[in-house]
């Protein structure tokens, strides 16, 4: 099914009203589109910047069909939506992203199998549906290993690091609750991610390779450009992935680089990503701009230009508690507050981007500031 390019004044429907949906909506409105968002949270951030809000559960098919009837194109801000219902929507409405990526990537096992079949380098893994298979995974992969639930889980939820037999009780409880995937724990040199946007005409455009640091499985900071020469290798892996999986719009591939310099695909997010928020200030197009252009059927820019190197810091609830009174005295901080009503210590509440000529010095300055929160 083919659709015409969206015209000014037509409507983009977004499934999910969190901060990613909010930033998608802001890009869409900048281009002259109307926005309708569906989310189960009555106070989700995106509803305040949308033209219409559908307050409903993600699996409410009647509400999803209402979104379809109100929209000229539908997109989504996260992958934990029902793949079968998305397939049903795709059959009747303009959902250029389709359902294949969601079907594969919301299940860690099918994701890893698909990547292996595509010839992509992945971390050695083992399917763990039972406690018996957990013992086999430990025997095969050895300690330490990372245990992750097959479905759901983000920002460290549904993940457990096993260092020794002392962690077995918690691991068995996790496997008893849900099927898991065990991954070999690598000795990492660093983590990077590559954001790309695929257009409806086969065009693909890449953002700069970015360097990430996670703490407690939550993104802590991103540095752009990455201080490692792996762009060509990362793009080759992404090309293999796009030959195997259908993408339209912005998506993100996260990589591990081990201490030998080998690159491994860790995970794929079929949507804009936390590590790409720096692009709002630091690039000539943001990851949200290119996403909206793609799902609306328009041509993409021929390339993305990094206007200035940047350091992006996530702002959790505990960071706002510490830094909020400093924002007014630091105009060089590009601060984004998402508008979530409940502030929790480890909840993402915003981010800030610093444009800089010296990422190493800026990184050290920000580390000194942020690490004071835990003192």
């Amino acid at each position: 099914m083919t659709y015409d390019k969206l015209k000014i004044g037509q409507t983009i429907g977004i499934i999910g009203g969190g901060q990613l949906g909010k930033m998608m909506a802001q890009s869409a409105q900048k281009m002259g589109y109307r926005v309708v968002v569906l989310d189960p949270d009555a106070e989700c951030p995106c509803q305040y910047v949308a033209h219409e809000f559908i307050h409903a559960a993600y699996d409410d098919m009647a509400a999803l069909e209402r979104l379809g009837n109100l929209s000229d194109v539908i997109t989504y801000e996260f992958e934990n939506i029902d793949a079968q219902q998305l397939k049903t929507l795709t059959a009747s409405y303009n959902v250029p992203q389709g359902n294949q990526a969601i079907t594969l990537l919301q299940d860690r096992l099918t994701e890893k199998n698909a990547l292996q079949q595509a010839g992509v380098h992945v971390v050695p893994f083992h399917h763990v549906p039972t406690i018996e298979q957990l013992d086999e995974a430990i025997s095969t992969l050895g300690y330490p290993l990372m245990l992750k639930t097959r479905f759901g889980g983000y920002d460290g939820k549904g993940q457990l690091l096993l260092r020794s037999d002392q962690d077995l009780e918690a691991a068995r409880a996790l496997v008893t609750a849900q099927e898991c995937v065990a991954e070999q724990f690598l000795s990492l040199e660093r983590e990077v991610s590559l954001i790309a946007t695929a257009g409806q005409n086969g065009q693909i455009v890449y953002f700069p390779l970015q360097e990430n640091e996670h703490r407690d499985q939550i993104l802590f900071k991103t540095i752009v450009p990455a201080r490692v020469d792996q762009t060509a290798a990362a793009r080759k892996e992404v090309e293999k992935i796009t030959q195997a999986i259908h993408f339209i719009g912005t998506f993100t591939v996260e990589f591990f680089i081990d201490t030998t310099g080998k690159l491994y695909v860790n995970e794929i997010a079929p949507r804009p990503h936390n590590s790409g928020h720096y692009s709002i200030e630091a690039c000539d197009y943001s990851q949200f701009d290119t996403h909206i252009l793609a799902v609306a059927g328009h041509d993409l820019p021929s390339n993305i230009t990094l206007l200035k190197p940047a350091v992006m810091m996530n702002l959790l609830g505990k960071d706002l508690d510490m830094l909020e009174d400093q924002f007014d005295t630091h105009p060089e901080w590009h601060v984004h507050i998402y508008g979530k009503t409940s502030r929790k210590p480890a909840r993402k509440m915003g981010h800030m981007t610093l444009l800089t000529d010296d990422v190493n010095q800026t990184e050290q300055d920000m580390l000194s500031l942020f690490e004071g929160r835990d003192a």
Side-chain angles (χ1 to χ4, degrees):
M1 188 179 294
T2 59
Y3 296 89
D4 294 332
K5 297 177 182 179
L6 259 64
K7 297 179 175 62
I8 291 173
Q10 289 191 284
T11 300
I12 296 176
I14 302 174
I15 302 173
Q19 62 264 25
L20 297 177
K22 178 181 179 179
M23 288 182 270
M24 280 185 197
Q26 289 169 327
S27 282
Q29 290 188 354
K30 179 177 67 176
M31 299 178 198
Y33 298 122
R34 292 176 55 81
V35 174
V36 180
V37 62
L38 181 151
D39 195 279
D41 182 357
E43 297 181 327
C44 67
C46 187
Q47 68 155 311
Y48 301 109
V49 298
H51 293 87
E52 188 165 346
F53 174 50
I54 300 173
H55 181 209
Y58 295 127
D59 61 357
D60 185 333
M61 198 63 216
L64 290 167
E65 289 176 347
R66 182 184 170 205
L67 179 73
N69 290 327
L70 290 170
S71 305
D72 296 292
V73 66
I74 296 174
T75 185
Y76 48 79
E77 70 144 12
F78 76 125
E79 53 268 41
N80 290 327
I81 56 181
D82 188 283
Q84 186 58 47
Q85 289 182 324
L86 185 63
K87 183 177 181 180
T88 300
L89 276 184
T90 301
S92 302
Y93 303 100
N94 180 9
V95 189
Q97 291 160 279
N99 68 288
Q100 184 202 25
I102 288 290
T103 301
L104 291 175
L105 302 180
Q106 67 183 195
D107 178 342
R108 284 192 172 95
L109 181 62
T110 61
E111 176 184 20
K112 291 186 179 300
N113 285 334
L115 291 174
Q116 252 189 354
Q117 291 168 11
V120 172
H121 292 106
V122 296
V123 178
F125 68 94
H126 198 288
H127 181 204
V128 183
T130 66
I131 291 176
E132 289 73 25
Q133 289 294 321
L134 173 63
D135 295 336
E136 185 175 325
I138 294 169
S139 175
T140 301
L141 300 175
Y143 288 123
L145 62 81
M146 184 67 75
L147 191 65
K148 301 179 180 180
T149 55
R150 276 188 67 176
F151 300 96
Y154 60 94
D155 289 347
K157 300 177 178 67
Q159 300 185 24
L160 180 66
L161 175 61
L162 279 70
R163 295 182 175 86
S164 69
D165 286 348
Q166 292 182 347
D167 299 312
L168 274 177
E169 183 177 351
R172 287 167 177 159
L174 187 63
V175 173
T176 300
Q178 187 184 140
E179 282 190 41
C180 292
V181 175
E183 299 176 4
Q184 186 178 80
F185 191 79
L186 300 177
S187 296
L188 293 185
E189 196 272 327
R190 71 188 70 209
E191 299 176 52
V192 298
S193 57
L194 185 62
I195 292 176
T197 304
Q200 297 192 45
N201 59 359
Q203 183 185 10
I204 187 165
V205 63
Y206 294 97
F207 286 79
L209 188 69
Q210 52 222 25
E211 178 181 331
N212 306 318
E213 180 185 341
H214 290 79
R215 295 191 178 183
D216 298 322
Q217 286 79 54
I218 301 174
L219 183 65
F220 175 65
K221 73 174 188 294
T222 295
I223 293 174
V224 188
R227 296 167 293 187
V228 61
D229 185 18
Q230 290 275 15
T231 296
R235 287 192 181 189
K236 285 181 181 178
E237 295 294 83
V238 172
E239 287 169 5
K240 295 176 191 175
I241 292 167
T242 56
Q243 290 171 10
I245 304 174
H246 171 77
F247 289 103
I248 295 292
T250 296
F251 63 98
T252 307
V253 180
E254 297 180 72
F255 297 91
F256 292 143
I257 301 175
D258 70 11
T259 51
T260 71
K262 187 172 181 179
L263 191 75
Y264 296 86
V265 172
N266 175 32
E267 292 181 347
I268 305 172
R271 51 164 173 79
H273 191 259
N274 192 173
S275 65
H277 293 345
Y278 74 91
S279 62
I280 296 171
E281 283 87 21
C283 296
D284 54 349
Y285 291 83
S286 79
Q287 63 169 340
F288 303 101
D289 295 337
T290 55
H291 180 77
I292 295 300
L293 287 172
V295 298
H298 292 285
D299 293 338
L300 300 175
S302 57
N303 64 278
I304 301 297
T305 299
L306 181 67
L307 302 174
K308 196 165 188 178
V311 177
M312 190 278 292
M313 308 292 299
N314 253 344
L315 295 173
L316 306 182
K318 57 187 175 183
D319 300 315
L320 288 191
D321 292 341
M322 181 185 70
L323 296 174
E324 189 172 359
D325 62 353
Q326 299 189 43
F327 291 155
D328 288 344
T329 60
H330 287 279
E332 74 277 13
W333 295 354
H334 295 274
V335 178
H336 296 251
I337 304 299
Y338 301 146
K340 297 177 181 179
T341 55
S342 175
R343 183 185 297 188
K344 299 177 182 178
R347 189 184 192 193
K348 293 177 185 173
M349 302 301 296
H351 72 270
M352 65 181 184
T353 300
L354 291 83
L355 306 182
T356 177
D357 293 317
D358 187 341
V359 293
N360 293 323
Q361 184 59 56
T362 299
E363 177 191 32
Q364 291 307 309
D365 292 343
M366 299 315 294
L367 286 176
S368 296
L369 179 64
F370 274 70
E371 288 172 349
R373 72 186 181 189
D374 300 318

